[in-house]
Amino acid sequence: MTTEEPLLEVRGAAVSYRTRAGTVTAVDGVDLTVRRGEIVALVGESGCGKSSLGRAVLRLEPLAGGEVRFAGVDLGTLSGTPLRQARRRLQMVFQDPQSSLDPRRTVGQIVERPLKVHRAGTPAQRRAKVAETLDLVGLGSRFLDRYPAALSGGQRQRVGIARALVLDPELLVCDEPVSALDVSIQAQILQLLLDLRERLGLALLFVAHDLAVVRHLADRVAVMYLGRIVERGAVDEMFALPRHPYTQALLSAAPVPDVAVERARSVPLAAGDLPDPLAPPSGCAFRTRCPHARPVCAEVTPALVHDVACHRQDELPPFVSPIIHSGG
Ligand SMILES: Nc1ncnc2c1ncn2[C@@H]1O[C@H](COP(=O)(O)OP(=O)(O)OP(=O)(O)O)[C@@H](O)[C@H]1O
Ligand SMILES: [Mg+2]
């Protein structure tokens, strides 16, 4: 192979849930790649399917269609030992460190647990690995015997990250790892993730509902709306020139630090709430909130063309990004 294959390659992934009210297609034909050492953000409103996709990547959720390939291997073809070995290489960091850490276990026990589950190393080797990993996340061995209740929110999330790192994974799926934290702590955790990428060559699939959070973190962004990717691209390009009306709406909705810019910016584009996922709109799912919708948008589901799924992408008025012009 001349070009390096992607670390993670998701093709046509679908995830659906049967509920008493009907079937929800939470993820509907998503294609996504993450290369080694790359940070890819998955962004969109609550309920658009980000966590479902993240969990499907880790095979915590079954795929209703499509495939997930990791380092060239279709994870769906693996079982037993090969699946266990593959699973070590991709790990998850959860949103709420409070509820994802067992309150009855010490930090040392929590971080050691994946090593025990995978029967890795001798007890002495495991202790050394746990101490090393706690150093890596900026906590250090003095935290070994503490319980989660004695930690701050940021420290708890560092423990969650240490637990995910202790098996030396190549990819972390981070599901809104900072949204439960104070803004000042958020920045520290994002910086830690960037440092870990530098030092370990780690790749991240980073789930967020807020575009602003990923601006200084991600290399590429995929924007989801009701189970589908509506736009994807390099993060700088997307902030400078968002091309899908939904991405434009997300950027317009992001808070702007500059008061003058805040006042002058365009009115939010997306009115109303997310449609009922049990009965999504025909055609383009965003059309019910889109100021640029035309009859064709109700009839034909737009495919991703040049990384944008919009029938009208070549006819939209120029978008002035409030964030770019704030200089922030
Ligand atoms: N276990 C489940 N059973 C039934 N429906 C589910 C289940 N999990 C998610 N859903 C539905 O699937 C859709 C996508 O949910 P998902 O949690 O993946 O979205 P999300 O983008 O992660 O949202 P959030 O930002 O709130 O975390 C939603 O309509 C949700 O109600
Ligand atoms: Mg979620």
Side-chain angles (χ1 to χ4, degrees):
M1 234 184 207
T2 48
T3 54
E4 201 194 340
E5 74 192 353
L7 184 61
L8 176 74
E9 191 168 14
V10 176
R11 285 193 204 144
V15 176
S16 56
Y17 303 102
R18 288 224 178 86
T19 69
R20 288 169 59 190
T23 299
V24 177
T25 303
V27 177
D28 188 8
V30 164
D31 296 333
L32 189 77
T33 59
V34 182
R35 297 184 196 92
R36 284 177 199 281
E38 191 179 35
I39 303 182
V40 176
L42 200 57
V43 172
E45 275 165 292
S46 184
C48 70
K50 307 178 297 291
S51 296
S52 299
L53 180 59
R55 288 199 305 267
V57 163
L58 294 169
R59 302 203 73 77
L60 301 173
E61 205 74 70
L63 285 175
E67 62 181 24
V68 173
R69 300 179 79 85
F70 188 78
V73 177
D74 180 354
L75 293 181
T77 64
L78 301 181
S79 60
T81 306
L83 180 60
R84 278 165 55 92
Q85 283 168 347
R87 271 202 167 134
R88 288 184 63 156
R89 301 168 66 184
L90 45 170
Q91 294 289 320
M92 184 126 178
V93 177
F94 297 93
Q95 170 172 8
D96 186 2
Q98 175 97 42
S99 62
S100 71
L101 303 181
D102 185 341
R104 294 159 308 174
R105 291 178 195 269
T106 64
V107 167
Q109 289 168 332
I110 290 169
V111 177
E112 187 186 8
R113 182 142 180 88
L115 293 170
K116 281 189 159 171
V117 168
H118 285 270
R119 297 197 187 88
T122 63
Q125 285 169 331
R126 289 201 296 261
R127 272 197 300 279
K129 183 68 185 176
V130 168
E132 178 195 316
T133 308
L134 285 175
D135 279 339
L136 198 60
V137 300
L139 288 176
S141 313
R142 67 182 195 283
F143 282 84
L144 276 171
D145 296 323
R146 298 197 193 168
Y147 287 88
L151 306 181
S152 69
Q155 288 168 344
R156 280 193 204 115
Q157 195 52 294
R158 286 176 196 266
V159 174
I161 293 169
R163 175 179 58 186
L165 286 178
V166 77
L167 290 167
D168 295 320
E170 291 147 80
L171 174 78
L172 288 190
V173 175
C174 302
D175 192 351
E176 310 221 26
V178 300
S179 51
L181 303 174
D182 291 344
V183 174
S184 60
I185 309 298
Q186 287 189 0
Q188 293 171 14
I189 298 294
L190 295 176
Q191 187 57 50
L192 171 64
L193 292 172
L194 278 172
D195 291 346
L196 291 171
R197 187 260 289 267
E198 276 320 297
R199 291 167 72 173
L200 308 174
L202 202 62
L204 303 184
L205 179 60
F206 187 97
V207 169
H209 57 255
D210 185 355
L211 255 176
V213 165
V214 307
R215 185 176 185 196
H216 300 292
L217 180 78
D219 303 304
R220 289 189 298 125
V221 184
V223 178
M224 281 184 83
Y225 189 81
L226 272 188
R228 294 175 149 259
I229 290 178
V230 296
E231 179 168 359
R232 60 185 180 201
V235 70
D236 295 339
E237 287 168 27
M238 198 170 296
F239 273 86
L241 199 65
R243 295 187 293 150
H244 193 285
Y246 180 58
T247 316
Q248 297 179 349
L250 276 184
L251 274 175
S252 291
V256 178
D258 184 321
V259 178
V261 174
E262 180 76 48
R263 284 211 196 96
R265 71 192 196 166
S266 53
V267 278
L269 297 170
D273 297 326
L274 208 60
D276 179 2
L278 284 165
S282 62
C284 172
F286 187 58
R287 69 177 166 83
T288 55
R289 298 165 76 190
C290 181
H292 310 292
R294 292 288 180 275
V296 62
C297 304
E299 284 153 23
V300 182
T301 306
L304 275 170
V305 177
H306 302 305
D307 291 329
V308 180
C310 176
H311 292 303
R312 307 206 60 225
Q313 62 169 299
D314 295 327
E315 306 153 21
L316 299 178
F319 177 79
V320 181
S321 169
I323 290 181
I324 293 303
H325 288 260
S326 74

